[in-house]
Amino acid sequence: MDSPEKLEKNNLVGTNKSRLGVCGWILVSLSFLLMLITFPISIWMCLKIIKEYERAVVFRLGRIQADKAKGPGLILVLPCIDVFVKVDLRTVTCNIPPQEILTRDSVTTQVDGVVYYRIYSAVSAVANVNDVHQATFLLAQTTLRNVLGTQTLSQILSGREEIAHSIQTLLDDATELWGIRVARVEIKDVRIPVQLQRSMAAEAEATREARAKVLAAEGEMNASKSLKSASMVLAESPVALQLRYLQTLTTVATEKNSTIVFPLPMNILEGIGGISYDNNKKVTAKA
């Protein structure tokens, strides 16, 4: 990738290295002479301070003086023949107002966003475009409408990052000749009509209800399978059914804290510990 200085030299408009000519050098000499005559008053008018985040594009007799901007620090501006333009190199925040967009599936929406960009070539920003910030602002609006017009509403709502990245790429390519580098593009809000919001909410609610019914049916099916397996186990061991019955009564008594009286036939205890009804009768007769 080319360096900013190389890109700046390749993107210059109106910069040439031709000589000023005889008349030009005469005017430059007269300007120096005027500065010396009015010294030291002229020094306060000819010396300019350029801040760290600024650059100065100097025009001498209508021509850009050097291949790149001057600064930061002190620069010398000759009286009457030099004109300079300050350019701020800090990141600029461009707030895109809500744009009414017709999506690909014929839905009218309002979308707004934010563009972060900075000037990396002060000479290109001054020489190649009249108002670089206004041009970037209008281009961002147009690009936002063009890109979102090719997307459906669901794609806009779910793919904001991809759309923002594509907008950033298009803006960066278009503003390269202006000395602009787009750092980031963000889509802030997507507004849709109220009726469409209600329709989408009803659709989402119906989808959730259908999903809940399917989950409930699956739960019933799993529960029936478990009950079938449990019944088969209890059928193989009748004593297990009695123990389960006693365990259920214990649980109910613990939760409700009450006394439960229920009849317990003796034949229920058959098979538990070898006790049977006939053995009980024999023991009573022997006694």
Side-chain angles (χ1 to χ4, degrees), residues 45-61:
M45 301 177 60
C46 297
L47 286 180
K48 304 296 181 181
I49 299 176
I50 304 301
K51 297 178 181 178
E52 184 66 32
Y53 55 84
E54 293 178 339
R55 296 297 182 270
V57 181
V58 180
F59 292 87
R60 177 165 295 173
L61 296 177

Side-chain angles (χ1 to χ4, degrees), residues 129-146:
V129 63
N130 182 20
D131 189 345
V132 63
H133 297 292
Q134 181 68 13
T136 306
F137 174 71
L138 296 177
L139 182 62
Q141 288 184 349
T142 306
T143 306
L144 180 66
R145 288 196 297 266
N146 292 339

Side-chain angles (χ1 to χ4, degrees), residues 199-211:
S199 301
M200 294 175 65
E203 181 182 1
E205 184 177 359
T207 303
R208 287 193 297 269
E209 288 181 356
R211 191 178 302 169

Side-chain angles (χ1 to χ4, degrees), residues 39 89 135 141 157 181 186 210 221 259 263:
F39 186 83
L89 302 184
Q141 288 184 349
L157 295 176
R181 180 165 296 157
E186 292 291 343
M221 182 178 64
T259 302

Side-chain angles (χ1 to χ4, degrees), residues 43-109:
I43 199 66
W44 301 104
M45 301 177 60
C46 297
L47 286 180
K48 304 296 181 181
I49 299 176
I50 304 301
K51 297 178 181 178
E52 184 66 32
Y53 55 84
E54 293 178 339
R55 296 297 182 270
V57 181
V58 180
F59 292 87
R60 177 165 295 173
L61 296 177
R63 298 177 179 178
I64 297 178
Q65 185 178 358
D67 291 343
K68 61 180 181 179
K70 293 185 177 182
L74 287 174
I75 64 171
L76 180 63
V77 179
L78 298 179
C80 302
I81 63 172
D82 284 354
V83 177
F84 74 99
V85 179
K86 284 185 180 181
V87 178
D88 196 331
L89 302 184
R90 292 177 294 181
T91 301
V92 179
T93 303
C94 178
N95 188 16
I96 304 175
Q99 304 292 310
E100 191 159 340
I101 299 168
L102 183 64
T103 61
R104 193 174 66 181
D105 51 352
S106 301
V107 177
T108 303
T109 61

Side-chain angles (χ1 to χ4, degrees), residues 216-236:
E218 291 178 354
E220 291 292 338
M221 182 178 64
N222 295 331
S224 63
K225 291 181 179 179
S226 300
L227 290 175
K228 180 181 177 181
S229 301
S231 63
M232 294 175 63
V233 173
L234 292 176
E236 295 176 357

